[in-house]
């Protein structure tokens, strides 16, 4: 969807409470808002599917169903063949939803018999999902899931009204089962659950309509999060000085690549170099030194052994003092070499990125000391959901059930900036929550996280504040992958491909 530099996101409760006040401020009745919502869906339908002749509308018992009846009335009056199915008895409809149903009847609208359901599914050109709205909190009831499953099995375009039925508006998690929509038309304020977690599979293309009260709504409600895309890159990335030299672009130390994991440190260091780090040093396990030197000769590569790490003064401690910023964790492992290196790297009051096995070591230490670790406000953590679960001592399912809550808990426990990776990556700095709206499924491949760590590390080395570096790094990384996919497609995207397009992403 189109927006300027940031997309304001809200909780379902904010929209529910705020729309009433906003409507009053604008002098609009709540039923007029429902009529505008139905009209917005109808207009989007005409734009997307102008040749559709047979439309199936499935209505629930709440206001979402009322929006569906408004749509049905408009389509009926335009001589489109509309079949409406009501889940639950129409006698249970109340308030504005009842008014919309009665208006549907005044245009000679008749609800279809459920005996015709299977035929209507097969004959539909488009399905309008107006079953469940943003007020859903518990799991979808069995009698509703049956119809959601059947709609999902039909290869027919689906437009969801406000939110795909069965999706949690606050978290993006699926509450038992949810509609797979091709398009979702949401109103007044974009719900934060539409842009992360499972929502990325269910929402399809997201369309926003303010219904004429969004200005009033924005004036009374502060966003719960901000969605960002690649348009922020030129705004956040400092310009290159004409007199710049390599020292101006910072010195970065990347540490990792334990036995058998040379690829991880290679991706990390290569990404850092491509992201403009002035000087990049890499320290690895001896077995990973030659692969790193061959893959990226621009990196000043060294190796260190576990025995050498036992000395309080060693090549690692020298490089730590030399560096402006640190990245560690990619290919770290969990043996003595890793633990000794971690102890040195976690202490300095320097900007740092901790990823992969570095996070697993942090999780182990946190549990060993009952969570009493000092928060590090100079640290960017980049966990995927499994690593986040270990850090919080919960399950991966718990993290994915409410990614916003998980990001906040990680910050409360460990400080710094949290980058919770996944579909709709979250960036939380303790003040504001950001959601990455870029990226694609092709990024689900080994080494992508190592690339991200290197990008953020390079930005930290330049002296960019950690909150800005974290969200800028996420956007550059995702945009680079999108550029690659636009040329070659999602399947087969590699971390090394992403490294090669970082330069393009940073020079729009």
């Amino acid at each position: 969807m189109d927006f300027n530099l940031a997309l304001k996101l809200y909780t379902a409760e904010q929209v529910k409470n705020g729309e009433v006040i906003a409507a009053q401020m604008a002098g609009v009745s709540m039923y007029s808002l429902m009529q505008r919502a139905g009209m917005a869906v109808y207009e989007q339908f005409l734009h997307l599917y102008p040749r559709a002749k047979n439309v199936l509308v499935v209505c629930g018992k709440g206001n979402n169903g009322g929006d569906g009846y408004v749509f049905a009335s408009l389509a009926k009056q335009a001589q489109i063949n509309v079949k409406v199915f009501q889940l639950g008895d129409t006698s249970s409809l109340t308030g504005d939803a009842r008014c919309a149903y009665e208006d549907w009847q005044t245009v000679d609208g008749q609800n279809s018999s459920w005996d015709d359901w299977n035929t209507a599914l097969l004959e539909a050109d488009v399905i309008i999902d107006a079953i469940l709205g943003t007020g859903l909190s518990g799991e979808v009831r069995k009698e509703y899931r049956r119809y959601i499953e059947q709609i999902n099995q039909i290869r027919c375009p689906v437009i969801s009204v406000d939110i795909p039925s069965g999706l949690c508006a606050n978290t993006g998690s699926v509450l038992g089962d949810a509609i797979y929509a091709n398009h979702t038309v949401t109103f007044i304020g974009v719900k934060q659950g539409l842009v992360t977690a499972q929502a990325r599979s269910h929402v399809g293309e997201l369309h926003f309509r303010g219904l004429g009260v969004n200005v009033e709504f924005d004036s009374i409600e502060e966003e719960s999060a901000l969605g960002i895309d690649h348009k922020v890159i030129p705004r956040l990335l400092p310009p290159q000085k004409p007199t710049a030299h390599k020292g101006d672009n910072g010195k970065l130390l990347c540490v990792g690549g334990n036995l058998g994991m040379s690829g991880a440190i290679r991706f990390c260091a290569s990404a850092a170099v491509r992201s403009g780090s002035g000087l990049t040093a890499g320290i690895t396990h001896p077995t990973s030194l030659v692969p790193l030197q061959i893959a990226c000769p621009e990196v000043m590569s060294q190796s260190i052994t576990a025995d050498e790490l036992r000395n309080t003064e060693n090549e690692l401690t020298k490089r730590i003092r030399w560096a402006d910023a640190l990245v560690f964790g990619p290919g770290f492992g969990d043996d003595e070499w890793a633990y000794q290196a971690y102890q040195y790297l976690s202490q300095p009051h320097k900007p740092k990125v901790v990823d992969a096995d570095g996070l697993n070591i942090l999780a182990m230490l946190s549990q060993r000391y009952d969570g009493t670790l000092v928060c590090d406000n100079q640290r960017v953590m980049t966990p995927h959901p499994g690593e986040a679960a270990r850090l919080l001592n919960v399950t991966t399912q718990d993290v994915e059930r409410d990614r916003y809550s998980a990001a906040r808990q990680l910050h409360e426990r460990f400080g710094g900036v949290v980058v919770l990776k996944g579909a709709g990556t979250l960036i939380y700095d303790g003040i504001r929550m950001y959601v990455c709206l870029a990226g694609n499924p092709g990024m689900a491949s080994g080494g992508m996280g190592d690339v991200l760590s290197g990008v953020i590390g390079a930005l930290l080395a330049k002296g960019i504040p950690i909150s800005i570096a974290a969200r800028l790094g996420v956007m550059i990384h995702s945009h680079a992958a999108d550029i690659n996919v636009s040329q070659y497609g999602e399947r087969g995207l590699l971390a090394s491909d992403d490294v090669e397009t970082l330069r393009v992403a940073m020079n729009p």
Side-chain angles (χ1 to χ4, degrees), residues 152-170:
N152 286 340
Q153 289 169 359
I154 297 295
R155 295 183 63 84
C156 176
V158 177
I159 300 176
S160 284
V161 177
D162 208 15
I163 189 170
S165 294
L167 195 69
C168 179
N170 286 336

Side-chain angles (χ1 to χ4, degrees), residues 189-413:
V190 179
K191 291 75 185 173
Q192 65 178 32
L194 290 171
V195 295
T196 192
Q198 293 302 309
R200 296 290 285 260
S201 295
H202 287 265
V203 169
E205 186 176 351
L206 182 61
H207 309 272
F208 172 68
R209 296 293 180 270
L211 307 186
V213 300
N214 54 299
V215 173
E216 290 80 4
F217 176 79
D218 285 348
S219 72
I220 59 175
E221 291 288 345
E222 183 177 355
E223 69 276 2
S224 60
L226 284 171
I228 53 176
D229 76 356
H230 69 276
K231 299 185 188 72
V232 306
I233 295 173
R235 292 293 294 268
L236 295 179
L237 195 63
Q240 288 278 62
K241 296 179 182 179
T243 57
H245 56 82
K246 59 188 177 185
D248 293 333
N249 288 326
K251 295 175 288 187
L252 178 67
L253 173 61
C254 303
V255 184
N258 205 332
L259 180 64
M261 291 179 282
S262 61
I265 193 63
R266 170 202 162 184
F267 293 137
C268 175
S270 298
V273 171
R274 276 293 182 196
S275 300
S277 174
L279 292 167
T280 304
I283 291 186
T284 77
H285 187 278
T287 59
S288 295
L289 178 60
V290 173
L292 177 58
Q293 290 174 325
I294 294 172
C296 197
E298 295 87 353
V299 175
M300 296 176 287
S301 305
Q302 297 170 266
S303 66
I304 195 166
T305 66
D307 287 339
E308 290 169 334
L309 284 169
R310 294 192 186 101
N311 299 321
T312 55
E313 181 70 10
N314 55 58
E315 291 303 316
L316 177 58
T317 58
K318 293 176 185 177
R319 277 298 185 189
I320 290 172
R321 289 194 296 270
W322 167 86
D324 296 313
L326 314 171
V327 179
F328 55 98
F332 223 48
D334 61 355
D335 60 6
E336 182 186 3
W337 185 92
Y339 280 90
Q340 288 178 329
Y342 180 91
Q343 294 299 331
Y344 291 115
L345 291 157
S346 61
Q347 298 305 316
H349 295 291
K350 291 187 176 186
K352 59 183 71 68
V353 182
V354 187
D355 184 33
D357 288 327
L359 295 172
N360 292 332
I361 293 175
L362 177 59
M364 183 277 297
L365 293 173
S366 178
Q367 293 172 28
R368 178 182 296 176
Y369 297 108
D370 196 26
T372 56
L373 291 179
V374 177
C375 289
D376 187 342
N377 290 320
Q378 289 294 302
R379 178 174 55 205
V380 179
M381 304 170 60
T382 57
H384 59 55
E387 291 159 349
R390 287 189 282 275
L391 288 161
L392 295 174
N393 198 25
V394 297
T395 67
T396 302
Q397 290 72 26
D398 290 332
V399 171
E400 288 292 79
R401 194 172 293 121
D402 191 342
R403 289 168 53 81
Y404 291 102
S405 176
R408 290 189 174 93
Q409 290 177 54
L410 285 166
H411 174 79
E412 289 171 7
R413 177 173 290 193

Side-chain angles (χ1 to χ4, degrees), residues 57-102:
V57 183
V58 192
C59 297
K61 294 186 291 184
N63 285 343
N64 202 248
D67 298 339
Y69 277 114
V70 173
F71 172 93
S73 296
L74 293 167
K76 178 79 173 179
Q77 293 175 83
Q79 307 302 312
I80 296 172
N81 182 27
V82 184
K83 292 187 177 180
V84 178
F85 290 82
Q86 171 70 50
L87 287 169
D89 199 305
T90 55
S91 62
S92 63
L93 295 172
T94 60
D96 294 332
R98 184 75 193 178
C99 292
Y101 169 69
E102 291 173 353

